[in-house]
């Protein structure tokens, strides 16, 4: 993940885009890209959505949007000094305490 963050930072630096990579702008861009991912599934039935990767064109769109979401999330974490994997691990720990496995289903 660190290698990808360095590549993203180098890409932005080569284009002098760091000035635009504020937490606010990156959070907004992340939201827009997540919405573009949602748009692919917007009018699909649950069954169609489960088979979306069977269509090469749709699969390529999904992969591109997933990459965009991840890129902006990694850049957001880099700017704010967040270790995304550590944050996720801590969140899972908290959720395990909040939602025990033999709790309500």
């Amino acid at each position: 993940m660190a290698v990808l963050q360095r590549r993203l930072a180098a890409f932005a630096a080569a284009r002098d885009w760091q000035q635009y990579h504020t937490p606010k702008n990156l959070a907004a861009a992340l939201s827009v890209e997540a919405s573009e991912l949602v748009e692919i599934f917007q009018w699909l039935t649950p069954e169609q959505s489960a088979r979306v990767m069977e269509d090469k064109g749709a699969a390529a769109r999904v992969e591109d949007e997933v990459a965009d979401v991840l890129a902006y999330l990694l850049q957001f974490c880099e700017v704010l000094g967040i270790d995304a994997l550590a944050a996720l691990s801590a969140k899972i720990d908290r959720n395990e305490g909040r939602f025990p496995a033999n709790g309500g289903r």
Side-chain angles (χ1 to χ4, degrees), residues 11-84:
F11 182 87
R15 290 152 182 83
D16 196 27
W17 289 353
Q18 314 93 310
Q19 61 186 316
Y20 307 111
H21 288 187
T22 64
K24 178 193 82 66
N25 287 350
L26 291 168
L30 176 58
S31 175
V32 169
E33 294 302 338
S35 294
E36 289 178 5
L37 180 59
V38 170
E39 183 182 27
I40 296 167
F41 295 90
Q42 184 173 9
W43 303 113
L44 300 181
T45 65
E47 295 79 16
Q48 290 169 324
S49 70
R51 295 189 315 271
V52 74
M53 298 306 283
E54 295 172 7
D55 175 271
K56 287 183 182 182
R61 288 181 57 216
V62 169
E63 289 177 358
D64 278 349
E65 296 308 333
V66 165
D68 288 341
V69 168
L70 183 56
Y72 279 118
L73 180 59
L74 291 176
Q75 290 173 88
F76 180 83
C77 289
E78 180 73 19
V79 165
L80 291 179
I82 296 170
D83 180 331

